[in-house]
Coordinates of all heavy atoms in Angstrom, one line a residue:
G1127 N 206.9 39.1 69.1 CA 206.7 40.3 68.3 C 205.2 40.4 68.1 O 204.6 41.6 68.0
E1128 N 204.4 39.4 67.8 CA 203.0 39.4 67.6 C 202.3 39.9 68.9 O 201.4 40.8 68.8 CB 202.4 38.1 67.2 CG 202.9 37.7 65.8 CD 202.5 36.2 65.4 OE1 201.8 35.6 66.2 OE2 203.0 35.8 64.4
K1129 N 202.7 39.4 70.0 CA 202.1 39.9 71.3 C 202.4 41.4 71.5 O 201.5 42.2 71.9 CB 202.6 39.1 72.5 CG 202.2 37.7 72.5 CD 202.9 36.9 73.6 CE 202.5 35.5 73.5 NZ 203.3 34.6 74.4
L1130 N 203.6 41.8 71.2 CA 204.0 43.2 71.3 C 203.2 44.1 70.4 O 202.7 45.2 70.7 CB 205.5 43.4 71.0 CG 206.3 44.6 71.5 CD1 206.1 44.8 73.0 CD2 207.7 44.5 71.1
E1131 N 203.1 43.6 69.2 CA 202.3 44.3 68.1 C 200.8 44.5 68.7 O 200.3 45.6 68.5 CB 202.3 43.4 66.8 CG 201.4 44.0 65.8 CD 201.4 43.1 64.5 OE1 202.4 42.4 64.2 OE2 200.3 43.1 63.9
A1132 N 200.2 43.5 69.2 CA 198.8 43.6 69.7 C 198.8 44.7 70.8 O 197.8 45.5 70.8 CB 198.3 42.3 70.2
M1133 N 199.8 44.7 71.7 CA 199.8 45.6 72.8 C 199.9 47.0 72.2 O 199.2 48.0 72.6 CB 200.9 45.3 73.8 CG 201.0 46.3 74.9 SD 202.4 46.0 76.1 CE 203.8 46.1 75.0
V1134 N 200.8 47.2 71.3 CA 201.1 48.6 70.7 C 199.8 49.0 70.0 O 199.4 50.2 70.0 CB 202.3 48.5 69.7 CG1 202.4 49.8 68.9 CG2 203.6 48.3 70.5
R1135 N 199.1 48.1 69.3 CA 197.8 48.4 68.5 C 196.8 49.0 69.5 O 196.1 49.9 69.2 CB 197.3 47.2 67.8 CG 196.0 47.6 67.1 CD 195.3 46.4 66.4 NE 196.2 45.8 65.4 CZ 196.7 44.5 65.5 NH1 196.4 43.8 66.5 NH2 197.4 44.0 64.5
D1136 N 196.8 48.3 70.7 CA 195.8 48.7 71.8 C 196.1 50.0 72.4 O 195.1 50.7 72.7 CB 195.8 47.7 72.9 CG 195.1 46.3 72.4 OD1 194.5 46.3 71.4 OD2 195.3 45.3 73.1
V1137 N 197.3 50.4 72.5 CA 197.6 51.7 73.2 C 197.9 52.9 72.3 O 197.7 54.0 72.8 CB 198.7 51.5 74.2 CG1 198.4 50.4 75.3 CG2 200.1 51.2 73.5
C1138 N 198.3 52.6 71.1 CA 198.7 53.8 70.2 C 197.5 54.2 69.3 O 196.6 53.5 69.1 CB 199.9 53.4 69.4 SG 201.4 53.2 70.2
K1139 N 197.7 55.5 68.8 CA 196.8 56.0 67.8 C 197.1 55.2 66.5 O 198.2 54.7 66.3 CB 197.0 57.4 67.6 CG 196.7 58.3 68.8 CD 197.1 59.8 68.5 CE 196.9 60.5 69.8 NZ 197.7 61.9 69.7
P1140 N 196.1 55.1 65.6 CA 196.3 54.4 64.4 C 197.6 54.8 63.6 O 198.3 53.9 63.0 CB 195.0 54.6 63.5 CG 194.0 54.9 64.6 CD 194.7 55.6 65.7
N1141 N 197.8 56.1 63.4 CA 199.0 56.5 62.7 C 200.2 56.2 63.4 O 201.3 55.9 62.7 CB 198.9 58.1 62.4 CG 199.0 58.9 63.6 OD1 198.5 58.5 64.7 ND2 199.6 60.1 63.5
E1142 N 200.3 56.2 64.7 CA 201.4 55.8 65.4 C 201.7 54.3 65.3 O 202.8 53.8 65.2 CB 201.3 56.1 66.9 CG 201.2 57.7 67.2 CD 200.8 58.0 68.6 OE1 200.0 57.3 69.2 OE2 201.3 59.1 69.0
F1143 N 200.6 53.5 65.4 CA 200.8 52.1 65.2 C 201.3 51.8 63.8 O 202.1 50.9 63.6 CB 199.4 51.4 65.3 CG 199.4 49.9 65.1 CD1 200.1 49.0 65.9 CD2 198.8 49.4 64.0 CE1 200.2 47.7 65.7 CE2 198.8 48.0 63.7 CZ 199.5 47.2 64.6
E1144 N 200.8 52.5 62.8 CA 201.3 52.3 61.4 C 202.8 52.6 61.3 O 203.5 51.8 60.7 CB 200.6 53.3 60.5 CG 200.8 53.1 59.0 CD 200.3 51.7 58.5 OE1 199.3 51.1 59.0 OE2 201.0 51.1 57.7
R1145 N 203.2 53.6 62.0 CA 204.7 53.9 62.1 C 205.5 52.8 62.7 O 206.6 52.4 62.2 CB 205.0 55.2 62.9 CG 204.8 56.5 62.1 CD 205.2 57.6 62.9 NE 206.4 58.2 62.3 CZ 206.6 59.5 62.4 NH1 206.0 60.3 63.2 NH2 207.7 60.0 61.7
Y1146 N 205.0 52.2 63.8 CA 205.6 51.1 64.4 C 205.7 49.9 63.5 O 206.7 49.3 63.3 CB 204.8 50.7 65.7 CG 205.2 49.4 66.3 CD1 206.3 49.3 67.1 CD2 204.5 48.2 66.0 CE1 206.7 48.1 67.7 CE2 204.9 47.0 66.5 CZ 206.0 46.9 67.4 OH 206.4 45.8 67.9
M1147 N 204.6 49.6 62.8 CA 204.5 48.4 61.9 C 205.5 48.6 60.7 O 206.2 47.7 60.3 CB 203.1 48.2 61.4 CG 202.2 47.7 62.4 SD 202.8 46.2 63.3 CE 202.7 45.1 61.9
M1148 N 205.5 49.9 60.2 CA 206.5 50.1 59.1 C 207.9 49.9 59.5 O 208.8 49.3 58.9 CB 206.2 51.5 58.5 CG 205.0 51.6 57.6 SD 204.8 53.2 56.9 CE 206.2 53.3 55.9
F1149 N 208.2 50.4 60.7 CA 209.6 50.3 61.2 C 209.9 48.8 61.4 O 211.0 48.4 61.0 CB 209.8 51.0 62.6 CG 211.0 50.6 63.3 CD1 212.3 50.9 62.9 CD2 210.9 49.7 64.4 CE1 213.4 50.5 63.5 CE2 212.0 49.3 65.1 CZ 213.3 49.7 64.6
I1150 N 209.1 48.0 62.1 CA 209.4 46.6 62.3 C 209.6 45.9 61.0 O 210.5 45.1 60.8 CB 208.3 45.9 63.2 CG1 208.3 46.6 64.6 CG2 208.4 44.5 63.2 CD1 209.5 46.3 65.4
G1151 N 208.7 46.1 60.0 CA 208.8 45.5 58.7 C 210.1 45.9 57.9 O 210.8 45.0 57.4
D1152 N 210.5 47.2 58.0 CA 211.7 47.6 57.4 C 212.9 47.1 58.1 O 214.0 47.0 57.4 CB 211.7 49.1 57.2 CG 210.6 49.7 56.3 OD1 210.1 48.8 55.5 OD2 210.4 50.9 56.3
L1153 N 212.8 46.9 59.4 CA 214.0 46.5 60.1 C 214.5 45.2 59.5 O 215.7 45.1 59.2 CB 213.6 46.2 61.6 CG 214.7 45.6 62.5 CD1 215.9 46.5 62.7 CD2 214.1 45.2 63.8
E1154 N 213.7 44.2 59.3 CA 214.2 42.9 58.7 C 214.7 43.1 57.3 O 215.7 42.6 56.9 CB 213.0 41.9 58.8 CG 213.4 40.5 58.4 CD 212.4 39.5 58.6 OE1 211.5 39.7 59.5 OE2 212.5 38.4 58.0
K1155 N 214.0 43.9 56.5 CA 214.4 44.1 55.1 C 215.8 44.8 55.0 O 216.6 44.3 54.3 CB 213.4 44.9 54.4 CG 212.1 44.3 54.2 CD 211.0 45.3 53.6 CE 209.7 44.6 53.6 NZ 208.6 45.7 53.5
V1156 N 216.0 45.8 55.8 CA 217.2 46.6 55.7 C 218.4 45.8 56.3 O 219.5 45.8 55.7 CB 217.1 48.0 56.4 CG1 218.4 48.7 56.5 CG2 216.1 48.9 55.7
V1157 N 218.2 45.1 57.4 CA 219.3 44.3 58.0 C 219.6 43.2 57.0 O 220.8 42.9 56.7 CB 218.9 43.7 59.4 CG1 219.9 42.7 59.9 CG2 218.8 44.9 60.4
S1158 N 218.6 42.5 56.5 CA 218.9 41.4 55.5 C 219.6 41.9 54.2 O 220.5 41.3 53.7 CB 217.5 40.8 55.1 OG 217.0 40.1 56.2
L1159 N 219.2 43.1 53.8 CA 219.9 43.7 52.6 C 221.3 44.0 52.9 O 222.2 43.6 52.1 CB 219.1 45.0 52.2 CG 219.8 45.8 51.1 CD1 219.7 45.0 49.8 CD2 219.1 47.1 50.9
L1160 N 221.6 44.6 54.0 CA 223.0 44.9 54.4 C 223.8 43.6 54.5 O 225.0 43.6 54.0 CB 223.0 45.6 55.7 CG 223.3 47.1 55.7 CD1 223.2 47.7 57.1 CD2 224.6 47.5 55.1
L1161 N 223.3 42.6 55.1 CA 224.0 41.4 55.3 C 224.3 40.7 53.9 O 225.4 40.2 53.7 CB 223.3 40.4 56.2 CG 223.1 40.8 57.7 CD1 222.1 39.9 58.4 CD2 224.5 40.8 58.3

């Protein structure tokens, strides 16, 4: 995931990268909450 994050940071605009990071962060939180 860290390697993927670095690649996404390199190719995306800052606001798009921010969306990606928020999604990845929320993924764990929401799945854990549901479980």
Side-chain angles (χ1 to χ4, degrees):
E1128 289 171 9
K1129 291 175 187 167
L1130 196 57
E1131 177 184 325
M1133 180 180 61
V1134 170
R1135 181 186 299 115
D1136 290 343
V1137 299
C1138 289
K1139 297 175 188 165
N1141 64 328
E1142 294 169 329
F1143 176 68
E1144 188 64 35
R1145 278 186 117 151
Y1146 170 82
M1147 290 304 296
M1148 285 182 63
F1149 164 71
I1150 294 298
D1152 290 350
L1153 174 67
E1154 187 167 342
K1155 292 173 192 163
V1156 171
V1157 170
S1158 294
L1159 176 65
L1160 255 175
L1161 294 171

